Amino acid sequence: TKGVSVLLFDAFGAPPWESRRLYTACWQEGCIKCWELSPPLTDRQPKLAGEIAVGGFVNDVAALSPFGLLTAQSAGMKPQPGESLRTWNLKQTPFRPTTRAMVNAIKDDTSGAAKSLGDGGAHGAAPKAGEAAVAKAGDGEEGAENDSPVAVDEFGYLAKSQMVYLHYRGVRAISLWPRPGRREVTPHMAATVSKDVLAVSRIGIDGCSLQPAEWQQADPHDMVDVNVLKHECANKLWTGDNGGMVRCWDINASGRGLVSSLGTGASGWLSSMEIWESAGMMCCSHSSGMVFLDTRAGKVVSDMKKKEAVGALAALNADS
């Protein structure tokens, strides 16, 4: 659990309009850092745009919109309600992407040439090639007290986040639907899971908040820690626990919504999951290797044992 535990590419911004962003989170330090990945050709090092403390050990991070983040954390031995799940308005953090709405807007020009507002208009000078598209203090954003990266919650950014009063135990995983991956896709549902609750909530119209849960189930894995969560489709979810068990949930089904419960054969905790709905295939990584399952037949197709634990899986898209 030492070092970087979460990596998240921001799918809402990309060159040439702005620098691509990467969010990294460190479980042990309890912080999230934002990096700009399109620096000038003379300097290919990522540029740190800012850092925020989330008030707990970071388990997962999800981008709700161009301006919103959702963080899942474990808040310690005696967590308070709302501490394990927080939403963030990026305009009120050290990495404020305000130029997403301004720097590329077209303004009127007497010469007839199209210029962006960042070409020297009312919003200030345009960023140089590869410069981070991050607002400076005084650009009119509330909460822009300091423009330098903040290693701790020195300026009260934690108080500006919104606590989601849904889980008491630490939230282990987040799953968004539709799955973000392209700039044109904006998720509208967010599923979260902890040892005590599995819930699905609608993302607020502002893109920076969660509405009250539309569906939830208590104790999803019979008091076993749940580590992974993934949408198969809009109404189906899969969860996996420390005992190597995966469960399928249908939010439209009657009763508890539990469709099936499958044993993966894993001898330890599950760490990650990928699903290919059209093929009816699932791949799970765990502390002793990887396993492929046929979700329709409910059988293990292939069990690949490894000498070391497999920490994570990543697929390009649902068809890859």
Side-chain angles (χ1 to χ4, degrees), residues 96-113:
R96 302 176 297 277
T98 56
T99 47
R100 285 183 167 174
M102 294 296 297
V103 75
N104 297 312
I106 303 300
K107 69 172 184 178
D108 294 330
D109 186 75
T110 55
S111 65

Side-chain angles (χ1 to χ4, degrees), residues 127-147:
K128 298 177 182 179
E131 188 179 27
V134 177
K136 305 299 181 182
D139 273 359
E141 284 295 338
E142 296 180 1
E145 297 93 344
N146 191 291
D147 188 59

Side-chain angles (χ1 to χ4, degrees), residues 74 102 106 143 146 193 239 247:
S74 299
M102 294 296 297
I106 303 300
N146 191 291
V193 67
T239 55
R247 289 184 172 181

Side-chain angles (χ1 to χ4, degrees), residues 253-272:
S254 59
R256 198 181 181 198
L258 180 61
V259 177
S260 61
S261 184
L262 308 176
T264 63
S267 57
W269 44 265
L270 298 179
S271 59
S272 187

Side-chain angles (χ1 to χ4, degrees), residues 7 13 57 115 133 141 222 243 247 273 283 285 287 296:
L7 284 173
F57 304 111
K115 292 184 178 181
E141 284 295 338
D222 304 322
R247 289 184 172 181
M273 176 188 295
C283 181
S285 61
S287 55
R296 296 168 183 168

